Amino acid sequence: MNGNPTVHAVVLAVATLLLLPLPVALLRGWTPQRLRSRAVARAYAYAMLGLYAQACLNTVPRMLDAPAGLTMACTAMGVGLAVVAAVFFMQAAARARRVNAEGVR
C-alpha cells in the first residue's frame, strides 16, 4: 500500500529544497521588495512551513511502512495543515492589500 520508499524519499527531498529555504529566510528577517511588509512575509512563511509539514506527514509514514491507520491519520492531519496554509495565504493577501492601500512599508 505504501509504495516504494525511494520515491517518497525523493519527494521529501524535493519538498525540502523547494519549500524550506524561503520561509526560513523570511522568518530570519529577509523581506523581498515585492512583499513590502514583515507581517506579509511572516504569513507567507507560516503558510509555506505548513505545506512543508504536510509533505513530511504524507511521506514519512509511507517511507517507514507504517500501518494503514497511522498513514491515514497522518494524511488527514496533512489535509488540515493544507487548510491552515490556505488561511495564512489569504491572511497574507489581505495584509498586502492593506499595506498597498496605506502605502506603508
Side-chain angles (χ1 to χ4, degrees):
M1 175 193 146
N2 291 332
N4 188 353
T6 306
V7 173
H8 296 295
V10 169
V11 168
L12 185 59
V14 169
T16 301
L17 291 174
L18 293 177
L19 292 175
L20 201 55
L22 181 63
V24 169
L26 290 174
L27 290 175
R28 288 195 46 111
W30 177 72
T31 304
Q33 198 79 27
R34 294 182 70 183
L35 291 183
R36 296 186 182 174
S37 168
R38 290 277 303 133
V40 175
R42 221 173 314 126
Y44 274 120
Y46 292 143
M48 291 182 70
L49 285 175
L51 293 178
Y52 176 70
Q54 178 190 20
C56 293
L57 280 173
N58 282 328
T59 56
V60 172
R62 288 173 173 82
M63 285 172 32
L64 299 176
D65 200 28
L70 181 62
T71 303
M72 289 302 293
C74 288
T75 301
M77 286 189 288
V79 170
L81 282 171
V83 171
V84 170
V87 168
F88 274 117
F89 278 129
M90 289 187 296
Q91 183 182 29
R95 287 180 180 178
R97 202 172 313 122
R98 192 171 355 151
V99 168
N100 287 341
E102 295 172 0
V104 179
R105 174 150 171 76

